[in-house]
Amino acid sequence: EAGVVQSPRYKIIEKKQPVAFWCNPISGHNTLYWYRQNLGQGPELLIRYENEEAVDDSQLPKDRFSAERLKGVDSTLKIQPAELGDSAVYLCASSSRGTANTGELFFGEGSRLTVL
Amino acid sequence: QKEVEQDPGPLSVPEGAIVSLNCTYSNSAFQYFMWYRQYSRKGPELLMYTYSSGNKEDGRFTAQVDKSSKYISLFIRDSQPSDSATYLCAYTNAGKSTFGDGTTLTVKP
């Protein structure tokens, strides 16, 4: 069974430029999460989807961040414009209907963003 | 105060040592308790989860939960160099997980 796939793995951009990250969850997993992990810290939730509905986006900085999950499968997270403080690893995770409540998350390898 | 506090480390032990990793939490609503392992430049992977006070074993790993003290621990027996990683504790309530900042462990051969 393929795991959670993310791209790109690494991205270097200059501040004020846009950037987008893509995630394909494990087949059959209806819950998808985007987390941000700063250096030396644990992951922090940005947004959680149940199928194509964003059910928790309270921590998403909506002035510059946007996300979508069309058709309830893969998802895109966009930052426009990027700021220096956005440098972090952006992790996508998924879980099935039976494991979402218990917090059993399956993570991708992450997309490491560096903003210069 | 953060909802989840984790011993910061880093921790360095010789191969074969018993390792103890600890977290405390403040939110009594947390229902499930997890430990994730994260290798350098990789995503976290779930090691163990539990929802009740007491011990849960899985091979060389034991998760211990004390809900009355709001404290969880992960013990690693006969530690191996391949256990070198960052260990993240996490708590879940209503489908939302909150992570600690991780403890980085190095097991020296």
Side-chain angles (χ1 to χ4, degrees):
Chain A
E1 178 183 80
V4 176
V5 179
Q6 290 189 245
S7 69
R9 287 292 317 277
Y10 302 92
K11 189 75 176 179
I12 301 174
I13 61 172
E14 294 191 345
K15 63 182 180 182
K16 300 185 182 180
Q17 294 300 305
V19 63
F21 305 111
W22 176 81
C23 172
N24 186 252
I26 292 173
S27 178
H29 281 193
N30 66 307
T31 307
L32 184 145
Y33 313 75
W34 283 103
Y35 281 85
R36 176 168 58 188
Q37 186 174 25
N38 293 311
L39 188 64
Q41 297 184 11
E44 294 181 325
L45 181 68
L46 291 173
I47 188 167
R48 173 166 63 114
Y49 283 94
E50 296 284 348
N51 299 307
E52 51 282 332
E53 181 184 0
V55 296
D56 184 354
D57 63 356
S58 57
Q59 301 303 310
L60 188 72
K62 298 181 184 63
D63 57 337
R64 298 182 300 106
F65 286 65
S66 64
E68 60 182 12
R69 192 185 184 198
L70 301 177
K71 301 181 182 179
V73 182
D74 54 356
S75 175
T76 302
L77 177 70
K78 297 179 181 178
I79 309 174
Q80 182 170 12
E83 297 180 351
L84 295 176
D86 296 331
S87 294
V89 177
Y90 291 85
L91 292 163
C92 179
S94 68
S95 61
S96 67
R97 205 176 294 276
T99 59
N101 277 336
T102 60
E104 294 174 74
L105 306 179
F106 296 84
F107 283 89
E109 295 198 318
S111 293
R112 183 177 297 269
L113 173 66
T114 301
V115 182
L116 303 176
Chain B
Q1 183 187 6
K2 297 184 71 171
E3 284 191 297
V4 179
E5 298 281 356
Q6 187 166 359
D7 288 352
L11 195 58
S12 180
V13 301
E15 183 174 354
I18 296 175
V19 176
S20 172
L21 304 167
N22 306 296
C23 285
T24 58
Y25 63 96
S26 57
N27 188 344
S28 298
F30 286 135
Q31 298 172 308
Y32 296 91
F33 309 90
M34 283 78 64
W35 284 97
Y36 286 83
R37 177 175 61 196
Q38 186 173 26
Y39 291 114
S40 181
R41 298 188 176 270
K42 299 289 187 181
E45 59 176 327
L46 182 66
L47 270 179
M48 300 179 70
Y49 87 93
T50 185
Y51 58 88
S52 59
S53 285
N55 294 347
K56 181 178 181 179
E57 282 194 28
D58 184 0
R60 297 184 294 109
F61 298 88
T62 299
Q64 185 177 80
V65 175
D66 183 344
K67 284 189 174 183
S68 62
S69 301
K70 297 190 178 70
Y71 192 89
I72 71 167
S73 298
L74 178 70
F75 298 97
I76 308 174
R77 291 186 301 278
D78 187 26
S79 56
Q80 302 296 308
S82 58
D83 294 328
S84 298
T86 297
Y87 290 81
L88 299 158
C89 62
Y91 304 83
T92 300
N93 178 42
K96 181 174 180 177
S97 295
T98 302
F99 288 80
D101 286 337
T103 300
T104 298
L105 170 68
T106 301
V107 181
K108 296 184 176 180

